[in-house]
């Protein structure tokens, strides 16, 4: 079934103490003020997963994501974090292939594919990120660029595995810039991605795939973006760092 999801990506922000306060505030505000069925996900730093997953354990709506994981299962990979470690501290989701990971840490489509495979094998839920840089957007070939990210990163999976993946379209020119894709731009891409999925996996699987939009989503633009027929929620960076702003985005779904 296609789920509505609002996921926050805290990136490398917040001490443990500040993160626990933020998570508690969001959990309480969502419980008090949001009465819909959307799932709310907090993408927190690795160091915070254990403590914050204990806070979300009592919530029916809010759960916790890691922002990355290793493509390897265990061994001599200094500084890396495995899916088994993530499971052991209560993560339910893993954000994979964020543009900052692709751009600053050299994650290729092949690596992102391996990571997604590892996450699925551990029964964690991947949020697979894709999106084009400004030059590709301006050059006009942005639909093919992002479709190729899906083909290369995901289309080797069986239909059963693919059905467990959530996709977040995040145009790089809109991440952290204050520039947001217009609802028309978001809808155009999401419809193209859904058609691309349908061509490979069939219409039913495409219709059941949750496609999130990310890129400067704020309380004042979320409703417009979430009202697009093929936008099933959002992946939110900067605005996820304040409980009131983030909760207003959740309420916009
Ligand atoms: C992100 O990092 O995934 C993101 C969408 O950031 P922001 O909302 O700050 O643009």
């Amino acid at each position: 079934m296609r789920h509505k999801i609002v996921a926050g990506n805290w990136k490398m922000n917040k001490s443990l103490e500040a993160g626990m306060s933020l998570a508690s505030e969001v959990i309480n505000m969502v419980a008090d003020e949001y009465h819909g069925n959307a799932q709310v996900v907090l993408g927190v730093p690795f160091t915070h997963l254990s403590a914050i997953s204990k806070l979300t354990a009592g919530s029916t709506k809010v759960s916790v994501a890691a922002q990355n994981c290793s493509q390897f299962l265990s061994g001599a990979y200094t500084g890396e974090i495995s899916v088994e470690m993530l499971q052991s501290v209560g993560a339910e989701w893993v954000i994979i292939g964020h543009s900052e990971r692709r751009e600053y840490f050299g994650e290729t489509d092949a690596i992102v594919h391996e990571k997604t495979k590892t996450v699925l094998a551990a029964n964690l839920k991947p949020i697979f990120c894709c999106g084009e840089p400004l030059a590709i957007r301006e050059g006009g070939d942005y639909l093919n660029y992002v479709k190729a990210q899906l083909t290369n990163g995901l289309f080797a999976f069986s239909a059963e595995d693919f059905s467990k993946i959530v996709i977040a379209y995040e145009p790089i020119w809109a991440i952290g810039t204050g520039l947001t894709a217009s609802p028309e731009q978001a809808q155009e891409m999401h419809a193209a991605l859904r058609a691309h999925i349908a061509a490979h996996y069939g219409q039913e699987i495409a219709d059941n795939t949750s496609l999130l939009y990310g890129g400067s989503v704020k309380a004042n633009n979320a409703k417009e973006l979430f009202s697009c027929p093929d936008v099933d929620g959002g992946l939110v960076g900067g605005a996820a760092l304040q409980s009131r702003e983030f909760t207003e985005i959740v309420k916009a779904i």
Side-chain angles (χ1 to χ4, degrees), residues 57-246:
S59 167
T60 52
K61 296 209 172 85
V62 187
S63 56
V64 174
Q67 299 170 16
N68 181 30
C69 70
S70 174
Q71 66 270 45
F72 305 113
L73 291 180
S74 67
Y77 301 103
T78 302
E80 290 292 282
I81 301 287
S82 72
V83 285
E84 186 188 20
M85 295 170 188
L86 295 181
Q87 277 176 321
S88 72
V89 290
E92 278 183 42
W93 302 81
V94 187
I95 299 170
I96 296 289
H98 190 280
S99 64
E100 288 152 16
R101 301 286 329 160
R102 293 177 187 257
E103 195 178 342
Y104 307 144
F105 300 97
E107 292 194 6
T108 60
D109 284 342
I111 292 174
V112 164
H113 173 77
E114 286 306 308
K115 290 189 176 200
T116 309
K117 191 157 85 178
T118 311
V119 169
L120 287 168
N123 281 322
L124 296 169
K125 296 181 265 191
I127 300 177
F128 176 94
C129 300
C130 55
E132 81 286 359
L134 184 60
I136 299 288
R137 167 65 53 170
E138 289 178 342
D141 203 26
Y142 49 91
L143 295 177
N144 282 331
Y145 182 95
V146 182
K147 285 196 266 182
Q149 288 182 316
L150 257 56
T151 305
N152 298 336
L154 299 181
F155 282 7
F157 290 119
S158 67
E160 191 189 345
D161 275 346
F162 181 85
S163 305
K164 299 171 187 159
I165 298 169
V166 169
I167 294 170
Y169 166 60
E170 301 204 297
I172 297 173
W173 46 271
I175 296 180
T177 58
L179 288 176
T180 315
S182 66
E184 293 73 25
Q185 287 173 317
Q187 173 57 25
E188 180 193 33
M189 179 62 78
H190 283 226
L193 295 183
R194 205 176 296 286
H196 189 52
I197 295 165
H200 190 78
Y201 287 108
Q203 195 61 49
E204 190 181 344
I205 287 182
D207 285 340
N208 285 330
T209 302
S210 295
L211 297 177
L212 314 185
Y213 168 79
S216 298
V217 176
K218 310 281 178 215
N220 64 12
N221 60 22
K223 208 165 193 75
E224 255 194 333
L225 288 160
F226 295 166
S227 64
C228 298
D230 285 292
V231 175
D232 305 309
L235 180 55
V236 182
L241 295 173
Q242 289 182 343
S243 52
R244 174 45 57 199
E245 177 85 6
F246 185 65

